[in-house]
Amino acid sequence: MAAPRRDTRGIVDAGELFARVRFRRREPAPALRPYLEHYWLIDWDLPEPYASHVVPHPSVNVVFQRHGDGRPPFGEVAGIGLGLFTQKLEGRGRVCGVQFRPGGFRPFAPGRPVADWTGRRLTLEEVFGPPADRTGADTDAGAGTGAGVGTGTGARAGDAVAAVLGPEDEDDEDARVAALDAYLLALGPRPDPQADLAMALVDRIRTDRAIRRVGDFARAEGLSVRVLQRLFAAYVGVGPKWIILRYRIHEALEHAETSRTVDWAALAADLGYADQAHLVRDFTATVGVPPTAYAQARSRRGNRPDRADRPGPADPPDRPLRDRARRAGTGPTPPAPDGPR
């Protein structure tokens, strides 16, 4: 598996985020790399609140969080987000996340289809269940009575939260990575050829611009559309059409973030849209502002997506994104209906 990617795809106003937080990606243990994209680590110490915005990847994340708003540290499973995700950061805090490869989460929680977690944020216990579910042994508390369901995993999850978020040395990120490795390896990912197939198919969609229609893609892979859709529901969490559209929006967002000038009509055609208006509509519905307005705002303030490890002062985020976050909160919004098919 390649080293963690260095692009900013999916991060809205990446330069402004990196100016306020310290953001890193790290590799997991070798045994976990077939299933994971990377770990992502964020630390911040802010004089005033800041709202970050992300257009989620078609990936499940396990996230350990310590915020400066008085909440106790916690861990959760974040299913694929269907719309713009907004997170308010304030005070001093830390997040250590696990981004699974699309299709790579099911081996860690094989009991239910990944679509069951889409658009939801759940506790570690709700998703992974008690140790007895994975080992066949009863937990000490309530064994055989039903009273202790989740008790063992609750203790394990609590230990994991403390281990992942606990190192007081801000530079000791190796300890955090080791704690993430230990937690995931203890879950025992189960080899699954269907998961391997799902991951390979999503990789093809991500890397091959020629894939624009689900029917054509299914035929090229020797599958029926229905079989492909069922595989994606069970192992990825969203349908192939949604993924085609999401990766195109990611690419358009990166162009707006990093390019001084963009030929939007040519980019729309290159990404498989019927015309520029379709791209503009999907971009606006997902990000909250039209692509030209987004690109102009970035150009006025300067493109700074390379500042992940150099926190410093920066201007406030654009008002349209702040206003959209206030209207929408942190919940998912439905994807636009039009786009590549």
Side-chain angles (χ1 to χ4, degrees):
M1 178 181 174
R5 68 175 194 274
R6 297 182 59 84
D7 63 72
T8 62
R9 291 192 179 188
I11 302 175
V12 177
D13 205 351
E16 293 306 305
L17 174 66
F18 294 161
R20 288 176 167 84
V21 309
R22 188 176 177 214
F23 176 93
R24 292 89 73 206
R25 295 186 177 112
R26 292 288 301 270
E27 278 189 309
L32 296 169
R33 291 173 194 171
Y35 309 100
L36 273 58
E37 294 273 8
H38 52 251
Y39 298 143
W40 49 276
L41 311 177
I42 300 177
D43 296 274
W44 67 90
D45 191 354
L46 299 171
E48 59 183 25
Y50 171 72
S52 65
H53 311 277
V54 176
V55 178
H57 289 253
S59 300
V60 176
N61 284 257
V62 170
V63 189
F64 296 87
Q65 306 185 50
R66 187 177 73 204
H67 291 270
D69 56 7
R71 286 180 290 171
F74 64 97
E76 65 179 358
V77 174
I80 296 173
L82 298 179
L84 186 71
F85 174 74
T86 297
Q87 176 68 63
K88 183 180 180 181
L89 306 177
E90 57 184 323
R92 186 178 183 182
R94 171 180 294 176
V95 173
C96 302
V98 181
Q99 183 172 325
F100 289 82
R101 293 180 62 187
F105 181 74
R106 180 72 181 270
F108 293 82
R112 295 174 63 178
V114 178
D116 284 0
W117 319 124
T118 297
R120 304 172 65 192
R121 303 179 75 85
L122 305 102
T123 66
L124 302 176
E125 297 91 334
E126 287 177 290
V127 176
F128 297 123
D133 288 350
R134 308 189 70 87
T135 65
D138 291 328
T139 57
D140 292 334
T145 68
V149 173
T151 301
T153 295
R156 178 188 289 168
D159 291 345
V161 171
V164 172
L165 298 173
E168 290 303 319
D169 183 350
E170 293 296 329
D171 295 324
D172 191 8
E173 62 185 61
D174 289 343
R176 299 184 226 175
V177 171
L180 290 169
D181 284 341
Y183 178 70
L184 293 172
L185 289 170
L187 292 174
R190 302 177 181 179
D192 185 338
Q194 289 295 95
D196 296 339
L197 175 60
M199 287 187 282
L201 292 174
V202 176
D203 276 346
R204 277 208 57 197
I205 293 175
R206 175 164 50 186
T207 58
D208 188 349
R209 278 190 179 182
I211 298 173
R212 298 177 178 180
R213 296 181 178 273
V214 174
D216 294 342
F217 180 52
R219 282 190 294 273
E221 296 297 329
L223 303 170
S224 71
V225 170
R226 184 59 179 157
V227 167
L228 183 65
Q229 290 171 335
R230 286 177 176 170
L231 176 69
F232 274 51
Y235 284 87
V236 183
V238 290
K241 178 179 177 180
W242 190 93
I243 292 175
I244 291 170
L245 175 59
R246 177 51 54 92
Y247 281 142
R248 280 22 179 192
I249 290 295
H250 277 175
E251 188 163 347
L253 178 61
E254 188 173 49
H255 275 278
E257 182 80 38
T258 61
S259 301
R260 292 188 177 276
T261 60
V262 180
D263 184 337
W264 293 106
L267 180 61
D270 196 29
L271 295 179
Y273 285 92
D275 53 35
Q276 181 178 344
H278 284 181
L279 169 60
V280 170
R281 181 163 61 248
D282 286 351
F283 189 103
T284 305
T286 305
V287 179
V289 293
T292 51
Y294 183 92
Q296 288 168 1
R298 300 289 75 68
S299 178
R300 284 197 300 271
R301 295 214 304 268
N303 296 317
R304 292 176 289 185
D306 60 336
R307 297 178 59 181
D309 295 312
R310 293 182 291 158
D315 300 328
D318 287 332
R319 185 172 300 277
L321 287 174
R322 293 206 307 271
D323 291 345
R324 189 184 194 284
R326 281 197 291 267
R327 291 196 304 271
T330 60
T333 56
D338 298 304
R341 290 184 291 277

